[in-house]
Amino acid sequence: MLDKDLSKWNIYQSFRFTEGYKGAAPKDAQGNLIKPIGYNVNQDHVFSVIMENGEPVLKIYGDIYGCIFTKQEFENYDLKLRVKWGDKKFAPRLNDVKDSGLLYHSIGENGVEYWRTWMLSQEFQITEDGMGDYWSQATSMADIKAAKSGKDFKFDKNAAKVSIGAGTGNGIFCQSGTNMERKGDWNDIELITYGDKSLQIVNGQVVMALSNNRYKVGNEVKSLTKGKIQLQSEAAEVYYKDIKIKQISGIPAEYASYF
């Protein structure tokens, strides 16, 4: 899915956020609203493809919030990619871990969630010490086998299902079951999704399983089973490669116990 021209992808960029952002629309020094950069601009060449050992590698510089997103929608698939951190971090995350994400079942326009950048979607979090965490974007939600861990929930295949996401009353975040990140090296990421179920796999280990993927429009709840794929630019330098996708006819039998 990756070539030197990013021919299968579009770009969206929103803002350079400053420290202390709390969700309000960004304003300039005179108090005027700042417009988002918008679609297919690629300001500061944030998204580029470099060659490494003869292979195309997506470099995301990260200083401007945004994403690349597929031109095509996908449903019932197995997606694999590899990810590795760069060295740089930017405001407003200078004192936080490096962050990015794989957003799937992405629908509608960009800029509809807290950071005014991404589409309504389910997030396969890619962050230091948290690869495979779940985040709801906008009004998405899912049922997850999870147990309370401090103030948050943590995936546990032996726990009862909990509804997590916008409007559930249980928050919009669930911690992955195991930290499988390879520090300072390429990490193998796999997303398997079929129907309303999805598996988030890091370096061969299932760390999150979602069922009843859905979202809310007004008072109506709708199933969320397909959409575009977004890769985030979120204040950290990050590299992606070997992005491959194939259609599947069901969740593999060996993963049945996760649901």
Side-chain angles (χ1 to χ4, degrees):
M1 296 178 67
L2 191 60
D3 58 37
K4 63 181 179 64
D5 299 316
L6 290 174
S7 63
K8 298 180 185 299
W9 305 80
N10 285 316
I11 293 171
Y12 183 80
Q13 292 178 306
S14 60
F15 307 98
R16 285 183 176 85
F17 287 103
T18 57
E19 298 292 343
Y21 176 76
K22 301 295 183 182
K27 296 180 180 179
D28 63 20
Q30 288 72 45
N32 301 310
L33 289 175
I34 301 172
K35 292 182 179 180
I37 295 167
Y39 291 95
N40 293 321
V41 177
N42 201 12
Q43 191 174 114
D44 282 4
H45 211 48
V46 169
F47 304 98
S48 62
V49 176
I50 61 176
M51 298 303 292
E52 183 180 88
N53 299 322
E55 297 178 301
V57 177
L58 171 66
K59 176 183 178 180
I60 301 178
Y61 189 63
D63 59 325
I64 301 172
Y65 272 52
C67 65
I68 62 168
F69 63 93
T70 57
K71 296 177 179 179
Q72 180 180 347
E73 287 192 338
F74 294 94
E75 182 177 16
N76 300 330
Y77 59 86
D78 184 339
L79 171 68
K80 295 180 180 179
L81 56 80
R82 308 192 79 198
V83 61
K84 182 175 73 171
W85 298 112
D87 298 324
K88 297 177 176 63
K89 294 196 294 185
F90 304 93
R93 299 189 58 86
L94 288 169
N95 298 312
D96 296 319
V97 295
K98 293 170 185 166
D99 200 2
S100 184
L102 161 63
L103 277 56
Y104 59 99
H105 297 345
S106 306
I107 59 175
E109 295 297 314
N110 288 79
V112 297
E113 40 52 69
Y114 178 84
W115 288 99
R116 300 169 183 268
T117 301
W118 299 297
M119 301 177 208
L120 187 160
S121 54
Q122 303 287 44
E123 179 170 0
F124 185 144
Q125 173 77 306
I126 295 173
T127 190
E128 291 179 303
D129 299 319
M131 288 192 178
D133 291 348
Y134 166 72
W135 282 97
S136 159
Q137 295 291 349
T139 66
S140 67
M141 58 192 102
D143 297 336
I144 304 172
K145 289 183 176 181
K148 199 75 173 182
S149 178
K151 65 181 180 65
D152 297 312
F153 283 93
K154 183 175 183 177
F155 173 71
D156 180 348
K157 65 174 291 189
N158 297 311
K161 285 184 179 179
V162 179
S163 292
I164 296 177
T168 63
N170 293 316
I172 63 172
F173 168 76
C174 185
Q175 184 181 352
S176 61
T178 310
N179 182 5
M180 296 297 297
E181 182 184 1
R182 297 184 190 125
K183 297 286 188 180
D185 201 355
W186 288 101
N187 288 269
D188 294 298
I189 301 298
E190 183 174 10
L191 169 68
I192 298 175
T193 181
Y194 186 84
D196 67 355
K197 297 178 174 61
S198 52
L199 289 156
Q200 300 180 180
I201 302 170
V202 178
N203 293 321
Q205 174 67 46
V206 175
V207 297
M208 182 68 59
L210 280 60
S211 59
N212 194 17
N213 281 306
R214 60 199 188 277
Y215 69 106
K216 198 170 186 180
V217 180
N219 293 321
E220 184 181 3
V221 176
K222 297 185 176 183
S223 186
L224 185 59
T225 62
K226 64 180 179 179
K228 297 176 181 179
I229 296 163
Q230 306 174 81
L231 295 174
Q232 293 176 317
S233 171
E234 194 172 359
E237 185 181 45
V238 64
Y239 297 84
Y240 290 93
K241 70 175 183 177
D242 297 338
I243 306 172
K244 301 174 182 178
I245 193 167
K246 67 178 182 180
Q247 296 298 120
I248 59 173
S249 58
I251 295 287
E254 62 265 33
Y255 297 126
S257 63
Y258 286 95
F259 300 103

